[in-house]
Amino acid sequence: MPVVSYRNAAFMNNEMAGISIDQEIMEKYQGKDREQGEELAYKISAAVIDEISDSIDGYYVITPFKRVELVLRILGFINRK
């Protein structure tokens, strides 16, 4: 599930058992508006995909807050790999 805002990151980090968001990632979202947050989510997701793609068989992507266009961009990136 791509993180889309600082508030989203803080909630996931503090309220979702078993999930921790790195403080460095959380700080990148400080002061970002919705569009900037989604762009950052895409870039972070693409970087993670690049890092792990040789070690996995597939992806499980959760759409955050009905942001289907963001997930479609991420799936497009996966399909180009």
Side-chain angles (χ1 to χ4, degrees):
M1 183 167 129
V3 174
V4 294
S5 69
Y6 180 83
R7 185 174 176 199
N8 176 224
F11 178 83
M12 290 172 70
N13 193 52
N14 296 321
E15 304 297 332
M16 297 177 79
I19 294 178
S20 65
I21 308 297
D22 189 273
Q23 190 64 33
E24 182 180 325
I25 298 287
M26 291 178 66
E27 289 172 3
K28 289 182 179 188
Y29 284 93
Q30 286 283 21
K32 301 279 191 274
D33 63 23
R34 181 184 173 116
E35 185 176 304
Q36 293 168 325
E38 284 191 19
E39 185 61 27
L40 182 56
Y42 174 78
K43 289 178 179 177
I44 291 170
S45 296
V48 169
I49 290 163
D50 278 339
E51 192 171 320
I52 67 172
S53 63
D54 291 338
S55 304
I56 63 169
D57 292 327
Y59 301 90
Y60 185 86
V61 182
I62 299 172
T63 306
F65 307 106
K66 300 180 184 178
R67 297 191 187 182
V68 175
E69 293 300 320
L70 171 60
V71 171
L72 289 174
R73 282 183 70 199
I74 293 168
L75 293 175
F77 181 82
I78 291 168
N79 286 332
R80 290 188 299 273
K81 296 228 34 91

